[in-house]
Amino acid sequence: NEFALIHEYYTPAAVADAIADLVCPLLADLAGHDGVVRALEPTVGLGRLIRAMGPPRCLVTDPRYKETRWSAVELSDVSAKMFAAMRPDVAMFSMSIEQWMSEHAARYQGTLGLVVANPPYGQRGEFALQDKHPDYQDRAAYAYVMRRCLDLLVPRGLGVFVIPAGFLTGSTNRKLRERVLLRHHLEVAFRLP
């Protein structure tokens, strides 16, 4: 049952590297008492965001930090298998993010220090039926991924998302902005060219 998605889009390496440049200096602050940052990439693709946050770009010398332990989710069987072959150290889940949330969110709730994602911008479609949680019925995939993942973070955890610019400026996104910003603090936003 291998398939690739016609609309697959992989984060440009320059964007992934820029995100890593901002996040890597914060890893020691995101680590738990054991020095481990528990991190999730819910739409991993080929893993460019995870790759960018590893050596040599991301070397953390702070003694509070030991390692980042990644979990990753990918809908495309082809991309998931390629990523798993390149990164056997990552807990890889080949399924929709909705299915993963339905099956695993309770276990991960309040354990993640970091979420990094470039979620799809389209509609959730048939996958929306896989997560029946009444609080997360967003139609837009990016809104669902962002809201659902942010709510898995530990207090003072960090969520980094590449999302449409209209999230912060569009009049049609006012309710979505309110829902996110009433629960989470916006640290910084950048508009990509």
Side-chain angles (χ1 to χ4, degrees), residues 9-177:
Y9 173 78
Y10 300 109
T11 307
V15 173
D17 291 346
I19 289 170
D21 287 342
L22 292 170
V23 173
C24 289
L26 306 174
L27 288 176
D29 294 328
L30 299 174
H33 295 295
D34 58 359
V36 176
V37 176
R38 284 159 183 82
L40 173 67
E41 214 295 25
T43 56
V44 74
L46 296 175
R48 287 187 179 159
L49 289 167
I50 291 177
R51 179 207 48 82
M53 299 203 42
R57 175 175 298 283
C58 196
L59 295 173
V60 182
T61 58
D62 190 309
R64 297 174 297 157
Y65 173 82
K66 290 189 177 142
E67 68 176 320
T68 301
R69 287 191 195 145
W70 287 97
S71 294
V73 182
E74 176 54 41
L75 176 61
S76 164
D77 288 339
V78 173
S79 295
K81 286 181 179 181
M82 290 172 62
F83 176 74
M86 292 184 291
R87 291 296 301 266
D89 60 307
V90 173
M92 182 67 218
F93 298 87
S94 182
M95 60 182 62
S96 72
I97 186 61
E98 288 88 351
Q99 181 182 349
W100 186 87
M101 288 293 181
S102 179
E103 296 175 11
H104 301 280
R107 190 179 104 212
Y108 280 80
Q109 183 71 45
T111 66
L112 298 173
L114 176 65
V115 175
V116 182
N118 182 2
Y121 289 5
Q123 300 297 307
R124 290 172 60 210
E126 67 191 57
F127 298 108
L129 300 174
Q130 294 176 343
D131 184 358
K132 299 187 183 337
H133 195 296
D135 293 341
Y136 304 101
Q137 295 305 309
D138 306 89
R139 282 188 267 155
Y142 85 89
Y144 169 81
V145 171
M146 181 175 58
R147 290 186 58 245
R148 198 69 159 104
C149 289
L150 284 171
D151 286 349
L152 296 179
L153 290 169
V154 297
R156 301 184 57 81
L158 178 65
V160 179
F161 300 90
V162 179
I163 58 173
F167 169 71
L168 288 176
T169 58
S171 60
T172 59
N173 290 318
R174 175 178 236 126
K175 287 183 182 181
L176 173 60
R177 268 195 308 276

